[in-house]
Amino acid sequence: MSAPKKVVLAYSGGLDTSIILKWLQTEYGCEVVTFTADLGQGEELEPARKKAEMLGIKPENIYIEDVREEFVKDFVFPMFRGNALYEGEYLLGTSIARPLISKRLVEIAAETGADAVAHGATGKGNDQVRFELAAYALNPDIKVIAPWREWDLTSRTRLLEFAEKNQIPIAKDKRGEAPFSVDANLLHTSSEGKVLEDPAEQAPDYVYQRTVNPEDAPDTPEIITIGFEQGDAVSINGEAMSPATILTALNEYGRKHGIGRLDFVENRFVGMKSRGIYETPGGTILLQAHRGIEQITLDSGAGHLKDSIMPRYAELIYNGFWYSPEREMLQALIDKSQEHVTGTVTLKLYKGSVFVVARDSEHSLYSEAHVTFEEDAGAYNQEDAAGFIQLNALRLKLLAARDRRLKK
Amino acid sequence: MSAPKKVVLAYSGGLDTSIILKWLQTEYGCEVVTFTADLGQGEELEPARKKAEMLGIKPENIYIEDVREEFVKDFVFPMFRGNALYEGEYLLGTSIARPLISKRLVEIAAETGADAVAHGATGKGNDQVRFELAAYALNPDIKVIAPWREWDLTSRTRLLEFAEKNQIPIAKDKRGEAPFSVDANLLHTSSEGKVLEDPAEQAPDYVYQRTVNPEDAPDTPEIITIGFEQGDAVSINGEAMSPATILTALNEYGRKHGIGRLDFVENRFVGMKSRGIYETPGGTILLQAHRGIEQITLDSGAGHLKDSIMPRYAELIYNGFWYSPEREMLQALIDKSQEHVTGTVTLKLYKGSVFVVARDSEHSLYSEAHVTFEEDAGAYNQEDAAGFIQLNALRLKLLAARDRRLKK
Amino acid sequence: MSAPKKVVLAYSGGLDTSIILKWLQTEYGCEVVTFTADLGQGEELEPARKKAEMLGIKPENIYIEDVREEFVKDFVFPMFRGNALYEGEYLLGTSIARPLISKRLVEIAAETGADAVAHGATGKGNDQVRFELAAYALNPDIKVIAPWREWDLTSRTRLLEFAEKNQIPIAKDKRGEAPFSVDANLLHTSSEGKVLEDPAEQAPDYVYQRTVNPEDAPDTPEIITIGFEQGDAVSINGEAMSPATILTALNEYGRKHGIGRLDFVENRFVGMKSRGIYETPGGTILLQAHRGIEQITLDSGAGHLKDSIMPRYAELIYNGFWYSPEREMLQALIDKSQEHVTGTVTLKLYKGSVFVVARDSEHSLYSEAHVTFEEDAGAYNQEDAAGFIQLNALRLKLLAARDRRLKK
Amino acid sequence: MSAPKKVVLAYSGGLDTSIILKWLQTEYGCEVVTFTADLGQGEELEPARKKAEMLGIKPENIYIEDVREEFVKDFVFPMFRGNALYEGEYLLGTSIARPLISKRLVEIAAETGADAVAHGATGKGNDQVRFELAAYALNPDIKVIAPWREWDLTSRTRLLEFAEKNQIPIAKDKRGEAPFSVDANLLHTSSEGKVLEDPAEQAPDYVYQRTVNPEDAPDTPEIITIGFEQGDAVSINGEAMSPATILTALNEYGRKHGIGRLDFVENRFVGMKSRGIYETPGGTILLQAHRGIEQITLDSGAGHLKDSIMPRYAELIYNGFWYSPEREMLQALIDKSQEHVTGTVTLKLYKGSVFVVARDSEHSLYSEAHVTFEEDAGAYNQEDAAGFIQLNALRLKLLAARDRRLKK
């Protein structure tokens, strides 16, 4: 790879990406463009602008954007149509944000004539894979720079030395080592590393930042309703809202009731197991609600097919293959199923739990006329079941007859 | 089908199966053998013996058995190795009990020279299918009698008339109609029908029989540990226990903390949707615990394969194909994966929720040496990630290059 | 089911469906509408009109249609996009024709105010299921009459007696029993029953009707090219053709070279095994050609996903679920993959075999620059492979290390 | 990676691996152990011994072994139980041999106290992955040396120079470049590269080495029978044979009749497409025969499950994951299904084609009594089909009713 001339950097404004910014300038002597996105991580962006300017970035090279609506509408919601859970539990909060960031990096590279993009993910994790696969899928000729895999700033001490030598301001609380590493966006907050590294040790309470402890949550349950149209949430308690507004509101419900905490050991794409603490307050509510509305509006053939491809769909997103033909094919399959996933779900929120308690829809396939224990006025002929069972049993009978025959 | 001469009836001792008993005697003039099993449903069995005697069953034709250990060891535990959930939620408590009952019915038929078995399931549900597929798979020549699909006792009134005419005692509380229908065993209690038939209506509190309301559960969380060996639970808080004893103990923990309630609309095999309230207190804890121990002891390739076949495995059990080649093939696959699923999981139980908070095992595949944010002493070479990503990206780059080429 | 008043009958003009026609008139006293379709079975349709008239059908109630283009364009081609093979071998020639016939039956019922449709399939086979599932999926209130499951004309003698009594003309060669049963359309001819019923006996030569014996095929191979656009064949040897024209032409190539014979024992949906002789001359060529063009134009992720869902897709079609949400979802997935399946395949036809010998496409993903054994000018960095392998091996090493640790 | 001290080299005795041998000695100054295996590639092994001695290998460090029986019994046959085809076509002849070689390399390393193994695969292909994943899975601490990824002998000229400088004899026909690259073992011969690199060009006739051109094959078909026990071939024409003997005999049948040629473009695990010519004469016959015996002895539930996991199973083998938990889990599933796959298949071999023409087994599930077009004496009740269809249709009717309702 020849040296990059102009690099678009995913820039948070924090110490680490500021060091990367400087390192790119000094190591490669290249022009740097910064991209700072509001994905709902809950931090102000304007300080990032000032810091970038201070580090010598030209004003026209500073991109600061609120992408929350795009994030929820084009990434989170499509994923929730699939009820995606990685390894049975994880709602993919970090995984789903990376492709959007890469997409903007590559687009800004095209706008600014940059030949490279850079990110601050380490060489041990999944995020490097997600950033880079997305970037290459969108521009096969882009260069991707991953400083953590390249440089020799391999200890906290060296990083701080580099920062000091290069006049990068260091916030007081960044002098010491953080007790764990955090990633946050509108969908979730994840914490990992350091104090969390032994999965046999319980996580300390202070790790949780996004939700109250269920024990401190209100003693009274709260009932809410979520409205869906074609698989996407469109309203809460009857009030129509935009995608990001809905997720923000659900996050608040979840936070208050201590919903969406997960202590998890997962398999990284790069081959090792890692332990993370995830908080996905709104997403956890949304998943239950979506399943609830599917229960009455989705046909069993459709639902079982969706269930069977879900693990692969989730794995693709986890591994960073959002922009791949197979993810798009699965999305086509999933989206096709959501045409009638429209209606209202009622949920009970209480001390860490979310229960579906009722669902209603004009698109319902539930037929009280068929299922009733009462007289059904001929809707269903019980004698049909005899034939149904006989033909389902036929091959089993033939198997049993063979066994019997061979034993003689 | 020629008329049966001797029938083994799955007999609970309750009103409905007593009517069936009498109906078999009068309709077919056949000898009846009763089989009453203790599956952990929480009812005494001796009254069933007396009632059977009173209805004219010969003592040697009355079979009463405690099958709880067999139920948990040979049915529940193998199923939990697979983390089976039907339609993402249901722990299959009713489904898994039916094959065991059919197995004993068929075995008793062989012992007593009976040519038929009979059950009390209706023509609308899944249980008829499960009873009959299992029976035919174990004896291809057995006759199966399903009185609910045959007789004309199609209303409560007619049933009671038949009972009175035949001197079958009717408990006072059975005069009126039950407000819903219940099935119970050591794994779960299910309730459905009547007051539950409208899925847009919240279920009344009195439906729940097996667990306290989370709101009434203790205000303080309880921490327990479950020990596993090769995928099966073997101890609680360090105390070794038999399979049924463990499930019984977990049920008590779950009951107390309001764990394992599910309000669910599912797709029956016979083609309609139905709504059920399930309470699976111990099973819900067990599933979380099993997943927890798998997190550190199961390889990702093994785990992802298991996840991908789980929906089909669960569907087979739900549909009644426990005794089928494909269920046995999947079981062989699942069991093969459990060799090292050994260790201890720590769980927190609190007001309806169960959280895994720690897991420990000598069989752990988790490597702190690899995952650590600290210096890893060469355990992992971050530069490997660059090559890993490049080759994973290669096809995506070729795709992007094609798109670019065709656009020109 | 109340008695039908007006029935649309799938009518071939042959003896069996003429008997059905008469039986419907006499048994139900209902008005009959006949639908005779040219699906490429190779029989003239006008005799069917005359016969229908002779049996008292009003001219406006006689529907005769050439549906060959619709058959290939909307049924055969979509299925071939999925490379569908039932049980690894069968090209689904009969299965794919049934939904189209049912669709027209239901449409004609709507046009003519009929309340029922009728077909001539027996109660043992798959076709009854396919006809009826399609009909019910398109009109939930339609009645479907399957005379073979209802009447008492259960032997050849009784059928002929009924025909004679009702003045239905019997062709001389229909007096004796046919030595096997045949179904044909533009995609295939199937033969089953009678002389074919013992799968341990070789099929007699006279069973094959659609292809020459490979031993009698030309001694010289023939080379042809097939052009594809977005997954569908559009030309042969450079000449653009309509879907039905292409399949007709391929059938002629296949017939001449003895291609597409299959002697097969399959599992019917109704639970038994049956043996069939299938001849699918053009379809066999088309499948190989489609696979050939996919080899260079389809990405591996897309291709492997398609391969993994193919057995289920084929099973759905075989079982009669063409008009089901899950078939449509899988079709959406498949169709999404075919955007770039465009190009030309060269095939060699010779004495029963078809070989892909070359493929070419502007949409090709094959990169000689990458794969070459020669110097590749940096297209591919062999060192990347080391990292790729290390990270793929990591979990295997951790497994091996565990095994070693536990053995100590 | 520290420098290896003693290396076990997969040594063919040819020019390339002789150069590797010398390079290991000179580059690392390490002791070399050679392993030369007879996998049925059709070359004598003793010349390899002499050449190794000449290159200074101590006699006790020269391992020459005939592993053909182990290869077929423990690798080829288990794979054929799964009917494995990669990307629908490829019989995995190269893929399945690599794990065995790695296994012996690792075992010999343990016996001889070597700390490394080495292979002669390049950095572009799949074989490096297969060799190395297998080696690491069997010994997590082994070093693997892949000279082609390390050295600077990147052109034919440089290789020959190195050989001459090191007194490695060069056969005359090795002076010029081979027109393509070959791999062979008892299962297949593959050819790729050079003249085959353009998939739009037909492969020249001289590429095929293992089979006669179908046009030159006998003009008369040949009929053979193959006997199976529990999924494995055990006899030909009634004569019992060992696994390797059977495959050798089938290879001769296939060679003679021009069976098993495949011109194929596949997706390599490392991300690129490549074109290969495969000749698998005996394997092609064996696959058809195995499918034939499964047709009558395997239940549909078992068969459909096998079909659905086959693509993943084949991909695992292709990608080099023979020694992985998930391959072993799938093998457990597959093997479980083969208990009754016992019987005899009759095949017709003719000019490039192999047809199953009959199959017979005491374990057959085919029931002429059920399937017959004649009177079946009550084996099958056609009325059962009505109920079977009604319940399969129920959800489709509910869907259609919803569509109708919503349109109003």
Side-chain angles (χ1 to χ4, degrees), chain B residues 37-45 68 184-186 188-189 210:
Chain B
D38 184 351
L39 281 146
Q41 63 271 45
E43 283 170 11
E44 284 187 47
L45 305 186
R68 287 177 295 171
N185 60 46
L186 201 57
H188 93 339
T189 293
R210 188 84 171 252

Side-chain angles (χ1 to χ4, degrees), chain C residues 133-144:
Chain C
L133 292 185
Y136 291 133
L138 296 171
N139 182 345
D141 301 322
I142 201 80
K143 290 174 190 128
V144 183

Side-chain angles (χ1 to χ4, degrees), chain C residues 87 123-124 136 141 197 263 273 295 298 304 326 353 359 366 370 372 380 382 390 395 404, chain D residues 87 123-124 136 141 197 263 273 295 298 304 326 353 359 366 370 372 380 382 390 395 404:
Chain C
E87 299 187 343
K124 284 193 170 181
Y136 291 133
D141 301 322
E197 272 176 20
D263 182 332
K273 289 182 181 290
Q295 284 172 17
L298 202 62
H304 292 187
E326 64 271 32
S353 297
R359 349 76 197 121
Y366 181 91
H370 283 82
T372 184
Y380 179 92
Q382 299 210 20
Q390 282 303 327
R395 67 182 178 94
R404 184 171 286 196
Chain D
E87 299 187 342
K124 284 192 169 179
Y136 292 133
D141 300 322
E197 272 176 20
D263 182 332
K273 288 181 181 290
Q295 283 171 18
L298 201 63
H304 292 188
E326 63 272 31
S353 298
R359 345 82 194 118
Y366 180 91
H370 282 82
T372 184
Y380 179 93
Q382 300 211 19
Q390 282 303 326
R395 67 182 178 94
R404 184 172 284 194

